[in-house]
Amino acid sequence: MSLKSVKQYFKSLGRENDIREFSQSSATVELAAQAVGTAPARIAKTLSFYSKEKDHAILIVTAGDMKIDNSKFKHFFGMKAKMLAKEDVEPLTGHGIGGVCPFANPSHTEIYLDQSLKRFETVFPAAGSGNSAIELTCSELENYTNSKDWIDVCKPMDQ
């Protein structure tokens, strides 16, 4: 259902044929990089967190080689970062684990893009399933996600 809703969303933009579906899983950064044929850092992974009220999701799209910096997150959002529990992922994001993406989400979803993505000409976010992706410029990603802002709440995985 989730891939279907993302395809429908991109159909309204004339981009449904740009969604790539793979015969193998692309549910992790490493698997997505292999499926797409790119460096893991260019995978635009979507991390999902609870809002303060815990009634909607905050999605942060970041480069595949980054992770949340808890102190930056707390400073920006005024709360500790708490990732969604398995049972809340689909109801709050509209997508299942492995396919969470910043497209075709419930209307109250807050989407932010991490600055780490801007070093790439194009990136590959998931497209609603654990075996799909779409290649977008950062400008397209910003426009298609209706993100609230570009933020700096991540750090390299090795820090």
Side-chain angles (χ1 to χ4, degrees):
M1 164 93 178
S2 182
L3 175 62
K4 184 178 178 184
S5 64
V6 173
K7 281 184 172 182
Q8 190 64 34
Y9 173 71
F10 277 104
K11 183 176 185 178
S12 72
L13 301 168
R15 299 282 310 263
E16 74 273 17
N17 293 328
D18 294 334
I19 294 174
R20 296 170 60 183
E21 292 182 70
F22 312 108
S23 57
Q24 73 266 33
S25 174
S26 61
T28 68
V29 168
E30 293 75 21
L31 291 172
Q34 288 172 7
V36 169
T38 193
R42 286 186 59 209
I43 301 302
K45 66 181 174 182
T46 303
L47 304 173
S48 49
F49 300 90
Y50 288 104
S51 64
K52 270 187 185 175
E53 304 79 17
K54 295 190 174 26
D55 62 347
H56 66 276
I58 295 172
L59 302 181
I60 298 175
V61 185
T62 188
D65 61 349
M66 303 296 279
K67 65 181 179 180
I68 290 296
D69 180 315
N70 288 316
S71 62
K72 287 181 179 182
F73 186 100
K74 188 172 184 177
H75 181 263
F76 186 83
F77 290 103
M79 64 179 181
K80 281 181 133 178
K82 181 160 174 42
M83 292 193 84
L84 298 182
K86 280 192 291 192
E87 62 273 10
D88 291 332
V89 172
E90 194 160 354
L92 293 179
T93 70
H95 308 292
I97 294 171
V100 175
C101 65
F103 315 110
N105 307 106
S107 61
H108 52 274
T109 306
E110 293 180 49
I111 301 167
Y112 295 89
L113 305 176
D114 189 72
Q115 296 282 347
S116 62
L117 294 166
K118 286 189 172 183
R119 62 192 149 129
F120 303 109
E121 191 173 316
T122 62
V123 294
F124 296 88
S129 71
N131 67 327
S132 64
I134 185 168
E135 184 174 13
L136 300 171
T137 65
C138 288
S139 178
E140 289 171 333
L141 182 65
E142 180 178 13
N143 291 335
Y144 297 157
T145 60
N146 299 310
S147 62
K148 289 180 141 305
D149 206 356
W150 285 94
I151 61 175
D152 177 16
V153 296
C154 294
K155 63 183 178 183
M157 294 289 274
D158 56 7
Q159 287 187 4

